Amino acid sequence: MTTDTNDSWFDPDATTFGDRVAGARERAGMTQGDLAKRLGVKLKTLKAWEDDQSEPRANKLSMMAGLLNVSLLWLLSGEGDGPDTPTVGELSPDISQMLTEIRDIRAQLIYSTDRLGRIEKSLRAKLREEAGE
């Protein structure tokens, strides 16, 4: 009986959140230290996520999905857009660097969007407060 690697690469029934984070991180060519640094968390925090001892907050989860080039739904449930199955050939260093840069920019955009939303919410509250509402 042959198994299709596309179907079994990250089986939602067999993998945990931590398994998916570790697998996607490895597919993205990052070490735990690399991902922790890009997310702005301590290495022990990332290790706890990969060991299923704790889970990230929503903003870090969103950034992680962007950095790892997977969907938020996939990280949480194993369904949706996950990492590609392993390929036989490796990417050139130039292409790998460009992909890393794209992931970093995507994560920064997600973080900035979240930050902008929080600031706008605070501004609306202050404006209502000053208007006497």
Side-chain angles (χ1 to χ4, degrees), residues 9 18 20 33 53 62-63 68 75 84 91 96 98 101 103 112 117 121 123 125 129:
W9 175 233
R20 288 187 291 276
Q53 295 174 347
S62 184
M63 285 177 65
L68 299 176
L75 272 179
D84 295 329
L91 298 174
S96 293
M98 285 186 254
E101 193 169 348
R103 287 183 191 114
S112 295
K121 185 177 179 179
L123 177 61
E129 183 181 298

Short mmCIF file of all heavy atoms in Angstrom, two decimals, residues 9 18 20 33 53 62-63 68 75 84 91 96 98 101 103 112 117 121 123 125 129:
data_model
loop_
_atom_site.label_atom_id
_atom_site.label_comp_id
_atom_site.label_asym_id
_atom_site.label_seq_id
_atom_site.Cartn_x
_atom_site.Cartn_y
_atom_site.Cartn_z
N TRP A 9 1.55 14.40 4.82
CA TRP A 9 2.68 15.22 5.25
C TRP A 9 2.42 15.82 6.63
O TRP A 9 3.24 15.74 7.52
CB TRP A 9 2.94 16.28 4.20
CG TRP A 9 4.01 17.26 4.57
CD1 TRP A 9 3.90 18.61 4.58
CD2 TRP A 9 5.36 16.98 4.98
NE1 TRP A 9 5.09 19.18 4.95
CE2 TRP A 9 6.00 18.21 5.21
CE3 TRP A 9 6.08 15.82 5.18
CZ2 TRP A 9 7.33 18.30 5.62
CZ3 TRP A 9 7.39 15.92 5.59
CH2 TRP A 9 8.00 17.14 5.81
N GLY A 18 2.01 22.13 18.23
CA GLY A 18 3.47 22.20 18.31
C GLY A 18 4.15 21.47 17.18
O GLY A 18 5.16 21.95 16.64
N ARG A 20 2.94 21.10 14.18
CA ARG A 20 2.77 21.90 12.97
C ARG A 20 3.72 23.11 12.98
O ARG A 20 4.31 23.44 11.95
CB ARG A 20 1.31 22.33 12.82
CG ARG A 20 0.40 21.17 12.43
CD ARG A 20 -1.01 21.61 12.12
NE ARG A 20 -1.73 22.08 13.30
CZ ARG A 20 -2.37 21.29 14.16
NH1 ARG A 20 -2.40 19.99 13.96
NH2 ARG A 20 -3.01 21.80 15.19
N GLY A 33 15.78 29.41 17.14
CA GLY A 33 16.30 30.74 17.46
C GLY A 33 15.92 31.79 16.43
O GLY A 33 15.57 32.92 16.78
N GLN A 53 3.35 22.98 25.43
CA GLN A 53 3.25 23.33 26.85
C GLN A 53 2.52 24.66 27.03
O GLN A 53 2.03 24.95 28.12
CB GLN A 53 4.63 23.39 27.49
CG GLN A 53 5.31 22.05 27.51
CD GLN A 53 6.75 22.14 28.01
OE1 GLN A 53 7.33 23.21 28.11
NE2 GLN A 53 7.32 20.98 28.31
N SER A 62 -0.62 35.10 14.50
CA SER A 62 -0.79 35.69 13.18
C SER A 62 0.56 35.98 12.52
O SER A 62 0.76 35.68 11.34
CB SER A 62 -1.62 36.98 13.33
OG SER A 62 -1.88 37.54 12.09
N MET A 63 1.49 36.53 13.29
CA MET A 63 2.83 36.79 12.76
C MET A 63 3.51 35.49 12.36
O MET A 63 4.17 35.41 11.32
CB MET A 63 3.70 37.50 13.80
CG MET A 63 3.39 38.96 14.00
SD MET A 63 4.38 39.70 15.32
CE MET A 63 6.03 39.57 14.63
N LEU A 68 5.90 31.76 8.48
CA LEU A 68 6.04 30.37 8.05
C LEU A 68 5.31 30.09 6.75
O LEU A 68 5.35 28.98 6.23
CB LEU A 68 5.54 29.43 9.16
CG LEU A 68 6.29 29.53 10.48
CD1 LEU A 68 5.65 28.62 11.52
CD2 LEU A 68 7.77 29.20 10.30
N LEU A 75 -2.31 26.34 11.15
CA LEU A 75 -1.56 26.25 12.40
C LEU A 75 -2.44 25.76 13.54
O LEU A 75 -2.02 24.95 14.36
CB LEU A 75 -0.99 27.62 12.79
CG LEU A 75 0.37 27.99 12.24
CD1 LEU A 75 0.76 29.39 12.71
CD2 LEU A 75 1.44 26.99 12.59
N ASP A 84 4.37 23.30 1.94
CA ASP A 84 4.46 22.35 0.83
C ASP A 84 5.17 21.09 1.30
O ASP A 84 5.96 21.13 2.23
CB ASP A 84 5.24 22.95 -0.35
CG ASP A 84 4.51 24.15 -0.95
OD1 ASP A 84 3.27 24.17 -0.90
OD2 ASP A 84 5.20 25.05 -1.45
N LEU A 91 16.47 24.96 -2.86
CA LEU A 91 16.42 26.25 -3.51
C LEU A 91 17.79 26.91 -3.43
O LEU A 91 18.56 26.67 -2.51
CB LEU A 91 15.39 27.15 -2.82
CG LEU A 91 13.95 26.67 -2.85
CD1 LEU A 91 13.08 27.59 -2.01
CD2 LEU A 91 13.43 26.60 -4.27
N SER A 96 16.15 31.53 -1.51
CA SER A 96 15.85 31.33 -0.09
C SER A 96 15.88 32.66 0.66
O SER A 96 15.01 32.93 1.49
CB SER A 96 16.84 30.37 0.55
OG SER A 96 16.68 29.08 0.03
N MET A 98 15.36 35.66 -0.61
CA MET A 98 14.19 36.45 -1.02
C MET A 98 12.93 35.97 -0.32
O MET A 98 12.11 36.78 0.13
CB MET A 98 14.03 36.41 -2.54
CG MET A 98 15.02 37.27 -3.28
SD MET A 98 14.66 37.31 -5.04
CE MET A 98 15.96 36.25 -5.65
N GLU A 101 12.97 37.15 3.20
CA GLU A 101 12.66 38.58 3.27
C GLU A 101 11.17 38.83 3.09
O GLU A 101 10.57 39.65 3.78
CB GLU A 101 13.46 39.34 2.20
CG GLU A 101 13.45 40.83 2.39
CD GLU A 101 14.46 41.55 1.49
OE1 GLU A 101 15.32 40.89 0.88
OE2 GLU A 101 14.36 42.78 1.41
N ARG A 103 8.75 36.75 3.87
CA ARG A 103 8.10 36.31 5.12
C ARG A 103 8.25 37.36 6.21
O ARG A 103 7.32 37.64 6.96
CB ARG A 103 8.68 34.99 5.57
CG ARG A 103 8.26 33.82 4.73
CD ARG A 103 8.82 32.51 5.28
NE ARG A 103 8.63 31.46 4.33
CZ ARG A 103 9.62 30.82 3.69
NH1 ARG A 103 10.88 31.11 3.95
NH2 ARG A 103 9.35 29.87 2.83
N SER A 112 2.11 45.44 12.19
CA SER A 112 1.76 46.85 12.06
C SER A 112 0.26 47.05 11.93
O SER A 112 -0.29 48.01 12.49
CB SER A 112 2.48 47.46 10.84
OG SER A 112 3.87 47.47 11.05
N GLY A 117 -4.65 49.00 14.47
CA GLY A 117 -6.00 48.77 14.97
C GLY A 117 -6.13 49.14 16.44
O GLY A 117 -7.13 49.75 16.85
N LYS A 121 -8.43 52.24 17.93
CA LYS A 121 -9.43 51.98 18.98
C LYS A 121 -9.23 52.92 20.16
O LYS A 121 -10.19 53.49 20.68
CB LYS A 121 -9.34 50.52 19.43
CG LYS A 121 -10.39 50.11 20.42
CD LYS A 121 -10.27 48.63 20.75
CE LYS A 121 -11.30 48.22 21.77
NZ LYS A 121 -11.20 46.79 22.08
N LEU A 123 -7.76 55.86 20.08
CA LEU A 123 -8.09 57.21 19.62
C LEU A 123 -9.59 57.44 19.63
O LEU A 123 -10.07 58.48 20.10
CB LEU A 123 -7.52 57.44 18.21
CG LEU A 123 -7.85 58.79 17.56
CD1 LEU A 123 -7.29 59.94 18.41
CD2 LEU A 123 -7.30 58.84 16.15
N ALA A 125 -11.78 55.99 21.52
CA ALA A 125 -12.20 56.08 22.92
C ALA A 125 -11.87 57.45 23.48
O ALA A 125 -12.70 58.06 24.20
CB ALA A 125 -11.53 54.98 23.74
N GLU A 129 -14.42 60.32 24.81
CA GLU A 129 -14.23 60.82 26.16
C GLU A 129 -14.19 62.36 26.16
O GLU A 129 -14.84 63.00 26.98
CB GLU A 129 -12.93 60.26 26.72
CG GLU A 129 -12.63 60.62 28.15
CD GLU A 129 -11.30 60.02 28.56
OE1 GLU A 129 -11.19 58.76 28.55
OE2 GLU A 129 -10.39 60.79 28.91
#
